[in-house]
């Protein structure tokens, strides 16, 4: 399965609150709260406005968490879209192709693209979101042998792939997510993949991980940035932009 095939339950409306989910058991919630603190805290997550990152397959995107604006690029395509209004424009080499079949196809995929690609970047901040059924599965060990608290995640009719299930392994020493496993269906006995969640670095007020390697296959999210401002015109640019720092 390709990296982009794993969706999630990222919701724009609850993207900044860190609000506890009534469906989560207390021990799972406590572990999730520890993760939030280790990665910078709920206030830092809420107050960070822009997130930018490269995703597998040559995609680069900038998300304005405050307005819902989403700037997305791949190859010769650029899209400027709003996740609240579901309106936007698509450009190829600077030419507006929004009304064409190809442009319409891109516009129709931008919300699912944001949900999927964002989940690969910020999933640890979403553990306590409404609609997430979070359970504590006990103690375990990561692929690297580190002691971990194991969380199970299923979803209550949120996101574009609510039938997914995840296992999230939180390092008991650091409080950081070290690993995740993705199950396309909640009833699946074996995951489609199990990947590291590592190579943490400070970006603005947040601690974010770039490493997403499988046991024998390196993979990484590149050009991660968290910022309060971006250069003027970036979110409406019709051409690929200089990646923000």
């Amino acid at each position: 399965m390709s990296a982009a095939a794993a969706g999630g339950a990222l919701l724009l409306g609850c993207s900044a609150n860190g609000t506890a989910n009534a469906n989560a058991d207390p021990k799972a919630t406590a572990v999730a709260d520890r993760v939030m603190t280790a990665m910078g805290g709920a206030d830092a997550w809420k107050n960070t406005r822009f997130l930018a990152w490269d995703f597998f397959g040559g995609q680069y995107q900038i998300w304005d968490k405050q307005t819902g604006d989403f700037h997305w690029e791949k190859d010769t395509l650029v899209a400027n879209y709003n996740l609240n209004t579901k309106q936007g424009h698509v450009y190829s080499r600077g030419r507006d192709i929004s009304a064409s079949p190809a442009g319409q196809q891109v516009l129709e995929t931008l919300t699912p693209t944001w949900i999927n690609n964002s989940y690969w970047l910020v999933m640890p901040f979403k553990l306590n979101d409404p609609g997430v059924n979070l359970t504590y599965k006990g103690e375990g060990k990561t692929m690297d042998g580190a002691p971990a608290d194991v969380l199970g995640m299923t979803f209550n009719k949120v996101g574009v792939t609510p039938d997914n299930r995840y296992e999230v392994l939180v390092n008991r020493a650091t409080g950081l997510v070290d690993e995740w496993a993705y199950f396309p269906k909640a009833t699946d006995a074996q995951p489609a993949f199990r990947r590291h969640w590592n190579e943490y670095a400070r970006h603005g007020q947040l601690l974010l991980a770039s490493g997403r390697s499988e046991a024998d296959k390196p993979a990484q999210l590149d050009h991660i940035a968290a910022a309060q401002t971006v250069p003027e015109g970036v979110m409406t640019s019709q051409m690929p932009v200089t990646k923000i720092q």
Side-chain angles (χ1 to χ4, degrees):
M1 173 174 291
S2 69
L10 194 74
L11 298 177
L12 184 65
C14 59
S15 63
N17 298 326
T19 304
N21 179 6
N23 291 327
D25 71 45
K27 192 159 188 178
T29 298
V31 173
D33 288 345
R34 187 178 181 221
V35 170
M36 177 71 82
T37 299
M39 295 184 68
D43 286 343
W45 167 245
K46 180 178 180 179
N47 294 331
T48 296
R49 178 166 178 179
F50 293 96
L51 290 169
W53 68 105
D54 275 335
F55 191 69
F56 310 107
Q59 301 176 65
Y60 179 69
Q61 52 259 291
I62 307 169
W63 169 29
D64 185 337
K65 289 168 70 251
Q66 180 174 307
T67 66
D69 288 332
F70 185 58
H71 175 89
W72 174 88
E73 306 173 2
K74 183 178 181 182
D75 300 325
T76 64
L77 295 174
V78 171
N80 300 315
Y81 181 77
N82 186 272
L83 296 157
N84 295 312
T85 66
K86 305 294 191 291
Q87 301 296 313
H89 291 272
V90 181
Y91 305 90
S92 177
R93 297 184 173 89
R95 181 173 62 90
D96 193 333
I97 62 167
S98 305
S100 71
Q104 287 294 303
Q105 184 177 21
V106 171
L107 288 171
E108 290 170 3
T109 63
L110 285 174
T111 292
T113 293
W114 166 76
I115 290 173
N116 181 78
N117 296 6
S118 298
Y119 212 63
W120 279 76
L121 179 69
V122 300
M123 175 273 296
F125 294 102
K126 315 302 295 175
L127 295 172
N128 272 336
D129 271 1
V132 177
N133 304 313
L134 196 67
T135 56
Y136 184 75
K137 297 295 187 181
E139 298 179 17
K141 288 191 176 181
T142 68
M143 288 184 283
D144 294 334
D149 290 310
V150 183
L151 301 178
M153 278 200 299
T154 58
F155 307 101
N156 183 23
K157 298 180 180 178
V158 294
V160 293
T161 51
D163 293 336
N164 291 170
R165 174 167 69 90
Y166 292 88
E167 274 186 4
V168 179
L169 278 70
V170 178
N171 188 298
R172 302 199 81 203
T174 66
L176 294 170
V177 171
D178 269 8
E179 187 177 308
W180 70 335
Y182 164 69
F183 302 77
K185 293 191 177 298
T187 54
D188 290 346
Q190 296 297 322
F193 65 69
R194 182 173 294 278
R195 291 176 179 254
H196 296 287
W197 193 290
N198 58 9
E199 299 180 39
Y200 283 88
R202 183 71 58 180
H203 299 277
Q205 300 180 62
L206 304 178
L207 194 63
L208 299 170
S210 61
R212 299 292 183 277
S213 299
E214 295 184 68
D216 57 353
K217 185 165 69 174
Q220 188 164 352
L221 304 178
D222 293 318
H223 296 105
I224 296 174
Q228 300 308 108
T229 61
V230 295
E232 185 176 356
V234 161
M235 301 304 289
T236 56
S237 177
Q238 300 176 17
M239 297 291 289
V241 301
T242 301
K243 293 178 171 61
I244 67 172
Q245 301 296 314

